Amino acid sequence: MNLDLNAIRDAARLLEAGQLVAMPTETVYGLAADAGNPDAVAAIFAAKGRPSNHPVIVHVARDADLSRWASAIPSEAGKLIDAFWPGPLTLILPRASNVPAAVTGGQDSVGLRCPSHPVAQALLKEFRGGQGGIAAPSANRFGRVSPTTAQHVIDEFGAPGAGPLAAVLDGGQSEVGIESTIVDLTRLDTRGPVLLRPGRISAAQVEQVLGRALALPDAAAPRVSGSLDAHYAPHTPVALVESAALADVVERLRAKGRRVALMQWSEATSAPWSARLPAAPEGYAHGLYVSLRALDTQGADLIVVEQPPQDSAWQGVNDRLRRAAFDSAGVLEKLLG
Ligand code: TXA
Ligand code: MG
């Protein structure tokens, strides 16, 4: 891809001046601000409508000095960084004392990620001479579907200058398509490494590098807003339906006069509003949010999603779908009743 170096330089200057910029990454687009500037970080929360006690991830350049952000870098972090950075993995580490509370949501940990997208890397290198940190949650309003194109970001927040964003860098459609895998390394002594959010980098890949199993989050785990039940949700209600029941459920909904939008992976149907996603988890994840957003604009009563396979390679996709369809049973009951 062609890097527009002028646009990247301009964006770095805007960030240094405390402005908000949309940044492409390989997972989803981020709503970026200078992580060292509490007012700029506060503007992210205001734009998203996000509760201020939710922490944001700090994005760093490839060779950044992590001690500016984390008070300790355990050997487990070193192994995962060597294996997966730059790439779609976020590490939760004990925070350094000078990290603004606005970034950490008042917690004593910080989330660090080194994205592989060439535009994000170029921006991080240009911003504060490569030693800054860019705070960036996904560039969507709180609870909504993450953006995977520049147009999605503009749909959420308006064009640059017309809303909270000073610039939108266009890096094409995000390759991965779902948010980064998050591994918490702050409680290695008591609970071991914890998988806070599944993603393209699978739990099995992380476990192989660490040589130990990942624990699941418990009540004491740090807050992850993506782990709220109703997250990643379109405006249209979403129901998850097993492949075997799909034809029957759609038929019954239509018999009730319901307008159904359909998202399938196993076969194509002739439904007027339908999206077909690849039958492999990487391709499915890549197209997931584009399809959800497209189906959400159809004015349907319901988006019916064919449940993907349940094996571990699909963990990241199934996690997002479960949250998008958080009231699946209730929605189906209401529309079929
Ligand atoms: O792929 C991604 O991670 C994208 C791109 C833009 O990098 N970012 C993203 O950010 O998904 P966001 O804010 O939408 O989700 C980040 C998650 C949140 O659920 C947040 O609570 C969690 O990471 N997080 C950030 N810092 C944390 C910390 N110190 N402790 C626990 N969770 C943290
Ligand atoms: Mg998000």
Side-chain angles (χ1 to χ4, degrees):
M1 100 176 305
N2 271 335
L3 289 188
D4 183 345
L5 293 176
N6 284 327
I8 290 169
R9 250 178 246 128
D10 288 349
R13 300 298 88 80
L14 288 166
L15 288 172
E16 288 162 0
Q19 303 279 309
L20 299 184
V21 165
M23 161 179 84
T25 85
E26 70 279 20
T27 57
V28 301
Y29 275 67
L31 183 57
D34 179 354
N37 178 342
D39 291 336
V41 175
I44 295 179
F45 287 85
K48 279 188 66 109
R50 189 186 209 189
S52 62
N53 63 352
H54 287 224
V56 287
I57 294 172
V58 177
H59 298 70
V60 293
R62 210 182 173 128
D63 303 313
D65 175 10
L66 299 185
S67 65
R68 158 82 178 77
W69 305 101
S71 63
I73 318 281
S75 64
E76 287 83 349
K79 288 183 192 167
L80 293 176
I81 288 169
D82 287 346
F84 300 118
W85 279 13
L89 175 71
T90 297
L91 298 177
I92 309 297
L93 296 169
R95 66 178 278 200
S97 56
N98 54 352
V99 180
V103 167
T104 64
Q107 305 185 93
D108 49 16
S109 61
V110 66
L112 296 179
R113 159 158 142 74
C114 178
S116 63
H117 194 293
V119 172
Q121 276 295 326
L123 181 63
L124 283 160
K125 228 167 150 180
E126 182 68 28
F127 173 70
R128 299 206 180 285
Q131 289 304 319
I134 295 183
S138 51
N140 52 278
R141 292 183 190 278
F142 183 64
R144 294 297 167 194
V145 178
S146 296
T148 52
T149 67
Q151 186 58 49
H152 289 167
V153 177
I154 292 169
D155 293 345
E156 290 278 324
F157 295 109
L165 295 173
V168 176
L169 291 173
D170 190 344
Q173 186 178 341
S174 297
E175 197 253 317
V176 174
I178 56 172
E179 303 80 357
S180 60
T181 305
I182 305 183
V183 176
D184 177 15
L185 296 176
T186 61
R187 295 179 300 148
L188 286 169
D189 297 342
T190 49
R191 269 191 68 81
V194 181
L195 179 68
L196 293 185
R197 183 172 71 183
R200 158 77 79 89
I201 295 175
S202 69
Q205 281 175 288
V206 172
E207 288 173 339
Q208 169 140 41
V209 168
L210 292 179
R212 61 193 288 197
L214 286 173
L216 291 174
D218 58 357
R223 279 185 298 275
V224 177
S225 51
S227 69
L228 296 176
D229 280 346
H231 217 76
Y232 312 110
H235 295 93
T236 314
V238 179
L240 262 178
V241 176
E242 285 174 26
S243 306
L246 198 62
D248 175 57
V249 168
V250 170
E251 173 69 38
R252 282 160 54 211
L253 284 162
R254 292 216 175 107
K256 289 270 176 197
R258 307 300 186 193
R259 287 168 304 168
V260 180
L262 194 55
M263 203 161 96
Q264 282 181 283
W265 57 272
S266 68
E267 56 185 87
T269 54
S270 52
W273 304 310
S274 65
R276 183 167 188 225
L277 288 168
E282 292 81 12
Y284 190 107
H286 175 71
L288 173 60
Y289 292 155
V290 171
S291 295
L292 275 181
R293 280 176 174 267
L295 294 177
D296 200 19
T297 64
Q298 301 300 324
D301 296 313
L302 176 68
I303 300 172
V304 172
V305 176
E306 177 187 7
Q307 179 137 50
Q310 293 303 296
D311 42 290
S312 60
W314 288 86
Q315 198 182 7
V317 163
N318 282 323
D319 170 76
R320 304 312 188 279
L321 286 178
R322 197 163 36 77
R323 298 178 204 288
F326 63 97
D327 188 26
S328 200
V331 163
L332 278 177
E333 198 179 296
K334 188 171 135 224
L335 293 181
L336 284 170

